[in-house]
Amino acid sequence: MDISEILSTKFTEFDIGTPLSKVAGAFENQELDAVVVTDGDEYRGVVSRRQLASSSNQPSAKVGSQAQHVPTVERTEDVREVARLMIGSDAKTLPVLDDDRPVGVVTADAVLEAVRPFLDAVTVEDAYSSTLVSATPETTIGKALNILRESGIAHLPVVDGDDLVGMISLYDVIEFTTRGGSKSQGGSPGSFGGRGRSGSSHGGFGSREGDSDRLLDLPVRNLMSDTVATVERSAQLDKVVKTMFEQGISSLVVTADDTGEPVGIITKTDVIEALTWERDDRNAVQVFGLDLLEGMDYDDVSALIESMTSKYGEMSVIKASIELQEHKEQSRGVPLVLARIRLVTDRGYFTADGEGYGASHALRLAANAVERQLLKGKTYGQSKKRPDSDEQEQLYGWWLGG
């Protein structure tokens, strides 16, 4: 299955000289995940909603300064390859180019909609992250913001003891703090929905007009939505995606089947990652942009990953994704390259970037950063259980047949 039927020719495009304040206004459209940045007719990159919300920029800054290099695809690109590129680059929107000119975009939602009928072969237990990063009702909004940014997540469940009592999103916090809480708020929050948002309204913090200096000190119970979408660990992934689309959300809290206790979280990214599983272990290491590597081949990259992980005791690599992106900047004829490593192991999930002149240099810098995380035991979520061979054959049957 290729993306020709699911790409969208409707996308928002900005020239590199556009002020970020204008770009931020475009994200008032709740369906928009990223905008395409161009320089005349030339594609320059994308800026995502999360990227803009997570960064500290002056409104007068230009969007070109924030353009992120993500993989580009053609109309005939395979859906599964697009899923791999999205996971490898941590991007939910990829530009579709024709003669180096953007002609459309393919989104994570479009990919999930296309494959949803085939996801009944895999359960939540196969794909969810079993480490639940959470806050308590008394956690301050400022602390919650730090947790969201440091963990690289957009939604933070609020847990009181063993009870799941609410949800707060990165976008809610940013909107509330940047607007200075200028509107009086109160009453019961609305349903948990809206793309990237906890709900259409929130309750409890009352009138805070002009009191922007104290907003970050408020507890999250005053901003969180108290309606949270959950899913049992045994549920099938197609039902998860259906719930996400129906409620306009991108994550669900996973609960134990017998007790209802929150035990983890599943996101759209987790579901897309399931599409990248191999039917065997021959390709545990995936390299995108291998042609950029000078003096190294695939076996060298695999050996680098093995060497990196073997230093820290018993650790099995489930999947290693390496993304190499070349920038136009050069030094003595050598291009600046961004290397991103995403490492899924039986002891956790690790990710890091490295930027240097030459792909091999950038890759080694990224590997050094991952090694530092391994040494500190810093992870971004526990690894997922792999489905058995029968489940994988069901999941990939439609690819193999088409």
Side-chain angles (χ1 to χ4, degrees):
M1 177 188 295
D2 63 37
I3 64 168
S4 59
E5 298 298 321
I6 65 172
L7 70 86
S8 173
T9 57
K10 296 180 180 179
F11 59 95
T12 302
E13 180 179 339
F14 289 102
D15 186 77
I16 57 172
T18 305
L20 280 176
S21 56
K22 184 174 181 179
V23 178
F27 286 114
E28 293 296 324
N29 172 9
Q30 293 300 298
E31 298 302 317
L32 188 63
D33 174 74
V35 299
V36 176
V37 182
T38 56
D39 184 0
D41 290 334
E42 186 178 356
Y43 165 75
R44 292 294 295 271
V46 301
V47 172
S48 68
R49 174 192 297 272
R50 177 183 291 187
Q51 177 190 354
L52 200 59
S54 300
S55 58
S56 300
N57 298 294
Q58 294 297 324
S60 59
K62 307 304 182 184
V63 68
S65 65
Q66 291 296 309
Q68 177 185 9
H69 295 270
V70 301
T72 60
V73 297
E74 298 180 351
R75 298 174 186 269
T76 56
E77 193 70 78
D78 182 73
V79 171
R80 188 176 174 195
E81 181 64 18
V82 169
R84 286 173 172 164
L85 292 172
M86 287 179 171
I87 292 299
S89 61
D90 196 22
K92 292 183 179 179
T93 297
L94 300 183
V96 181
L97 299 189
D98 186 1
D99 291 331
D100 297 325
R101 176 81 177 107
V103 295
V105 295
V106 60
T107 66
D109 281 359
V111 170
L112 290 175
E113 186 66 60
V115 304
R116 192 174 79 181
F118 309 97
L119 293 176
D120 59 355
V122 185
T123 66
V124 170
E125 187 173 8
D126 297 319
Y128 83 109
S129 297
S130 58
T131 292
L132 186 64
V133 180
S134 63
T136 70
E138 300 307 316
T139 300
T140 66
I141 292 175
K143 176 63 175 177
L145 180 59
N146 286 335
I147 295 173
L148 287 162
R149 285 175 166 169
E150 290 176 1
S151 301
I153 57 179
H155 298 89
L156 188 64
V158 182
V159 177
D160 189 1
D162 292 332
D163 297 325
L164 181 65
V165 296
M167 180 73 77
I168 188 167
S169 82
L170 172 64
Y171 312 107
D172 289 331
V173 175
I174 295 295
E175 180 180 16
F176 179 57
T177 55
T178 56
R179 294 188 178 184
S182 59
K183 296 181 180 180
S184 297
Q185 304 285 344
S188 299
S191 61
F192 177 61
R195 182 177 178 82
R197 298 181 183 272
S198 300
S200 57
S201 63
H202 312 277
F205 52 78
S207 178
R208 305 295 301 183
E209 287 87 344
D211 200 8
S212 58
D213 291 342
R214 299 181 57 191
L215 295 180
L216 293 178
D217 293 328
L218 291 173
V220 298
R221 59 180 169 79
N222 293 328
L223 183 59
M224 71 183 188
S225 165
D226 61 8
T227 303
V228 186
T230 62
V231 63
E232 291 187 339
R233 198 159 37 191
S234 61
Q236 297 169 321
L237 284 190
D238 61 329
K239 295 180 180 178
V240 170
V241 175
K242 180 181 179 181
T243 300
M244 288 176 172
F245 284 157
E246 287 179 346
Q247 299 194 28
I249 57 179
S250 57
S251 64
L252 284 78
V253 174
V254 180
T255 60
D257 291 8
D258 49 352
T259 65
E261 177 187 357
V263 294
I265 194 165
I266 187 164
T267 67
K268 288 181 179 178
T269 299
D270 292 325
V271 180
I272 292 173
E273 188 172 356
L275 306 180
T276 70
W277 290 333
E278 298 292 337
R279 299 186 68 212
D280 54 44
D281 293 329
R282 290 175 296 176
N283 296 311
V285 178
Q286 299 175 340
V287 185
F288 306 104
L290 184 61
D291 58 312
L292 298 178
L293 282 169
E294 66 288 346
M296 294 182 70
D297 57 19
Y298 177 84
D299 291 337
D300 294 326
V301 177
S302 296
L304 175 65
I305 298 299
E306 181 178 358
S307 172
M308 182 174 62
T309 56
S310 64
K311 299 176 183 179
Y312 301 95
E314 296 291 333
M315 177 181 289
S316 298
V317 176
I318 297 173
K319 183 69 65 179
S321 175
I322 293 92
E323 173 78 20
L324 300 170
Q325 302 173 28
E326 185 177 276
H327 300 319
K328 289 191 174 182
E329 181 181 341
Q330 294 189 355
S331 175
R332 298 181 179 178
V334 180
L336 181 65
V337 175
L338 172 68
R340 175 175 290 117
I341 297 177
R342 295 167 63 94
L343 187 64
V344 182
T345 78
D346 59 347
R347 288 175 53 184
Y349 169 52
F350 307 83
T351 182
D353 294 350
E355 195 170 57
Y357 289 99
S360 297
H361 181 214
L363 177 59
R364 295 189 186 282
L365 290 177
N368 290 340
V370 172
E371 282 200 43
R372 289 193 293 271
Q373 292 181 12
L374 293 171
L375 184 62
K376 295 178 181 178
K378 181 179 181 181
T379 70
Y380 289 90
Q382 297 301 309
S383 56
K384 290 90 174 172
K385 180 175 75 69
R386 306 291 296 282
D388 61 30
S389 57
D390 290 339
E391 289 174 333
Q392 288 191 352
E393 186 170 355
Q394 283 182 275
L395 178 61
Y396 294 132
W398 61 283
W399 273 301
L400 298 175

